[in-house]
Amino acid sequence: MKQRQKETISTWLYEEYRRLWIEKGQEPHKHNNREIVAAVMERIETAGIWLPEQEVTKYFYRRKTHYRNRIEKELQPKPKMQNKDSQTQKEQGAGSQ
């Protein structure tokens, strides 16, 4: 498999895994793995790439932990940042006392 094809297929696997995660509101169950690979195989065939399904499945299982970690990180609420001006004012106020 060429590097560009790997990157494209990895992106498609990630997108499908993420789509299912958001649709279900939680991490997809292992029974959904076939569904994910089948959807990506359709895209692969449409793109005219010849690749055995077994190879895509193996690749998906190797990358699944990476996808899970990436999605969990994306879905975490971001902490609110304090306004720098208000923090500077607090520091200046504390120094003048």
Side-chain angles (χ1 to χ4, degrees):
M1 194 171 9
K2 294 178 184 175
Q3 184 63 32
R4 198 169 111 221
Q5 289 175 333
K6 261 188 187 179
E7 290 169 4
T8 301
I9 291 166
S10 181
T11 300
W12 289 342
L13 285 166
Y14 169 75
E15 287 171 353
E16 190 62 26
Y17 189 66
R18 186 177 189 280
R19 183 191 66 75
L20 266 178
W21 189 313
I22 290 172
E23 186 178 290
K24 293 179 175 287
Q26 61 186 18
E27 181 179 0
H29 194 269
K30 63 183 176 182
H31 298 298
N32 297 112
N33 291 342
R34 284 190 209 135
E35 181 183 341
I36 292 166
V37 172
V40 172
M41 284 304 298
E42 285 181 31
R43 291 176 83 170
I44 290 170
E45 290 167 9
T46 301
I49 302 169
W50 186 89
L51 196 61
E53 187 171 340
Q54 184 178 6
E55 193 171 333
V56 175
T57 302
K58 283 181 183 179
Y59 185 76
F60 175 65
Y61 282 115
R62 284 196 315 263
R63 301 290 295 166
K64 191 175 173 183
T65 302
H66 173 76
Y67 299 151
R68 180 185 316 116
N69 293 339
R70 183 174 162 191
I71 292 168
E72 286 175 346
K73 188 175 179 180
E74 282 180 14
L75 297 178
Q76 282 181 351
K78 295 180 182 177
K80 292 184 179 180
M81 303 254 322
Q82 286 185 346
N83 187 345
K84 286 185 177 181
D85 293 333
S86 65
Q87 191 173 356
T88 305
Q89 289 173 356
K90 287 179 187 176
E91 291 170 359
Q92 289 175 350
S96 63
Q97 292 177 349

